[in-house]
């Protein structure tokens, strides 16, 4: 295996100069740096991360805790974070965090504590008070995505406001018979995403003077979940709504598929709006509120690296950055069909 001395010899510089050129710590001219990098590439030299860690005190590794990997929002956040970290020379270790259990405890008590990370990013995980205390005791920067965490900079959208805006879009088109199909309140996501979106729906409906009795149906946050509930809700034309606010684009797409199967025209017979900005939304011409998970992932990485570059003393209060959503109006929503003879 090639050593730093071999790189220095080939580049015609001192070993210390070669080390500075490859580590980025300390001044070397651009001409010298390019010579050293070319020499290292020529002989296949790769700096030892352990040796670099001894010099810099950094491992160039970030720990990420997340409740789901396969769901669209989380996979988009992960991919964007990995891209941003790799661009800055960092790698990422992922922990798929289960619900409260000995396995979850081991992530905090063993893996995050004993493995050397420069920082930790928590994605969509409402940490317990004990878990927050544990991470703070590690003395490493922590950034969250999804909702407030005590004493931690976090990034999220306003789920109540997003749900309210989606419902108000349907109301503005003239709909009054509107259903919300969203997450089961008994199977709540962290940061109460299900109940917050339901709260936003109810608030918009109440302000418009519309009924809400029987206006909510629980559903899995998946396309098959939306499809199954859609077949059930749309089966009886006497109780069929004119519009639906779906708590996610995947639910909304499942509803559209179910409607098509039953001969219901979208949007002539039924308007559907979702939340997310899923890549399939355009194909299904779905009106949606985009929440830009990739932007959230990139901002989390930028926030963490800024903390590493210039550590800040934070108080115990929340440090929540609320990112805006934007309405993308497509052809899945329109005004309700006029009654015959109206």
């Amino acid at each position: 295996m090639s050593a730093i001395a071999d790189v220095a010899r080939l580049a015609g510089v001192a070993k210390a100069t070669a080390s500075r050129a490859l580590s980025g710590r300390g001044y070397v001219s651009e001409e010298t740096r390019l010579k050293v990098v070319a020499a290292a590439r020529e002989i296949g030299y790769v700096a030892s991360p352990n040796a670099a860690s001894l010099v810099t005190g950094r491992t160039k590794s970030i720990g990420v805790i997340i409740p789901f990997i396969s769901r669209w929002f989380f996979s988009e956040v992960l991919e964007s974070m990995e891209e941003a970290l790799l661009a800055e020379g960092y790698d990422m270790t992922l922990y798929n965090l289960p619900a409260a259990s000995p396995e979850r405890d081991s992530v905090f008590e063993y893996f995050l504590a004993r493995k050397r990370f420069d920082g930790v990013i928590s994605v969509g995980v409402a940490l317990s008070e004990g878990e927050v205390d544990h991470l703070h005791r590690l003395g490493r920067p922590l950034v969250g995505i999804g909702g407030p965490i005590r004493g931690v900079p976090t990034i999220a959208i306003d789920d109540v406001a997003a749900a309210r805006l989606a419902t108000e879009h349907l109301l503005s088109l003239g709909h009054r018979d509107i259903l919300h199909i969203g997450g089961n309140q008994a199977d709540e996501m962290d940061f109460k995403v299900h109940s917050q979106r339901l709260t936003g729906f109810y608030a918009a409906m109440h302000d418009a003077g519309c009924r809400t009795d029987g206006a909510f149906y629980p559903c899995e946050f998946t396309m098959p979940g939306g499809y199954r509930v859609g077949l059930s809700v749309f089966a009886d034309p006497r109780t069929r709504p004119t519009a639906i606010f779906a708590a996610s684009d995947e639910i909304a797409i499942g509803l559209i598929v179910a409607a098509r199967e039953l001969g219901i025209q979208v949007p002539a017979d039924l308007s559907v709006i979702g939340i997310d900005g899923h890549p399939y939304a355009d194909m299904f011409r779905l009106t949606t509120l985009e929440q830009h998970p990739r932007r959230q992932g990139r901002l989390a990485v930028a926030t963490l690296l800024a903390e590493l570059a210039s550590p800040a003393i934070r108080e115990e209060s929340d440090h929540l950055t609320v990112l805006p959503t934007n309405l993308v109006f497509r052809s899945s929503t329109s005004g309700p069909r006029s009654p015959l003879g109206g």
Side-chain angles (χ1 to χ4, degrees):
M1 183 179 293
S2 301
I4 190 69
D6 300 318
V7 176
R9 190 178 307 110
L10 184 60
V13 300
K15 189 164 72 170
T17 302
S19 178
R20 289 200 305 275
L22 293 174
S23 69
R25 295 178 65 84
Y27 173 77
V28 294
S29 69
E30 183 63 11
E31 180 183 1
T32 299
R33 188 188 71 79
L34 292 174
K35 282 194 334 185
V36 171
V37 169
R41 186 177 294 117
E42 181 177 337
I43 64 175
Y45 172 78
V46 178
S48 164
N50 290 333
S53 176
L54 291 174
V55 175
T56 64
R58 298 279 174 82
T59 64
K60 304 292 278 187
S61 182
I62 302 299
V64 176
I65 52 178
I66 193 165
F68 307 103
I69 297 173
S70 59
R71 294 190 182 182
W72 172 77
F73 172 84
F74 296 98
S75 63
E76 289 284 294
V77 170
L78 282 177
E79 191 170 299
S80 66
M81 289 197 309
E82 183 178 42
E83 290 171 356
L85 287 168
L86 286 174
E88 296 295 332
Y90 283 79
D91 65 13
M92 182 175 83
T93 300
L94 182 64
Y95 295 99
N96 191 190
L97 202 64
S101 63
E103 290 77 18
R104 177 173 174 131
D105 294 341
S106 70
V107 170
F108 291 91
E109 295 171 5
Y110 178 76
F111 293 106
L112 291 177
R114 301 190 186 182
K115 296 194 179 220
R116 298 191 63 202
F117 297 114
D118 291 337
V120 176
I121 300 176
S122 171
V123 182
V125 178
L127 301 172
S128 70
E129 286 295 303
E131 290 167 347
V132 172
D133 289 339
H134 193 90
L135 289 172
H136 282 323
R137 284 196 298 270
L138 296 179
R140 296 171 191 145
L142 171 64
V143 172
I145 294 178
I149 301 173
R150 174 172 49 83
V152 174
T154 55
I155 299 151
I157 66 167
D158 185 333
D159 284 293
V160 174
R164 185 181 187 112
L165 178 58
T167 308
E168 287 173 345
H169 169 71
L170 298 174
L171 291 164
S172 73
L173 294 173
H175 293 280
R176 292 297 179 267
D177 187 5
I178 305 171
L179 296 184
H180 174 48
I181 298 181
N184 193 324
Q185 306 300 289
D187 187 26
E188 183 68 90
M189 290 177 66
D190 283 5
F191 301 116
K192 300 184 178 178
V193 172
H194 297 169
S195 58
Q196 289 200 61
R197 293 184 183 179
L198 180 60
T199 296
F201 167 73
Y202 281 153
M205 294 288 281
H206 288 153
D207 286 353
C210 296
R211 67 168 186 85
T212 55
D213 293 342
F216 169 67
Y217 285 82
C219 180
E220 293 178 7
F221 260 53
T222 63
M223 292 182 198
Y227 172 75
R228 287 190 295 269
V229 172
L231 290 178
S232 173
V233 171
F234 304 154
D236 187 348
R238 296 170 301 177
T239 58
R240 187 181 302 153
T242 65
I244 291 180
F245 158 47
S248 75
D249 283 357
E250 291 183 79
I251 293 174
I253 290 168
L255 293 169
I256 290 173
V257 173
R260 289 177 179 175
E261 189 169 305
L262 294 172
I264 300 167
Q265 296 182 49
V266 175
D269 300 320
L270 177 73
S271 286
V272 181
I273 187 172
I275 291 180
D276 272 339
H278 193 285
Y280 289 178
D282 186 46
M283 181 171 67
F284 283 87
R285 307 308 301 150
L286 174 66
T287 299
T288 186
L289 268 77
E290 294 182 333
Q291 65 165 317
H292 305 286
R294 285 180 169 270
R295 180 173 64 188
Q296 296 182 45
R298 289 192 297 269
L299 181 56
V301 169
T303 302
L304 186 70
L305 296 185
E307 289 275 318
L308 284 168
S310 181
I313 298 175
R314 297 197 173 272
E315 300 174 356
E316 287 291 288
S317 57
D318 300 332
H319 305 270
L320 179 63
T321 299
V322 178
L323 298 182
T325 58
N326 60 284
L327 177 66
V328 179
F329 190 7
R330 298 192 181 97
S331 60
S332 71
T333 54
S334 69
R337 186 192 293 273
S338 299
L340 293 176

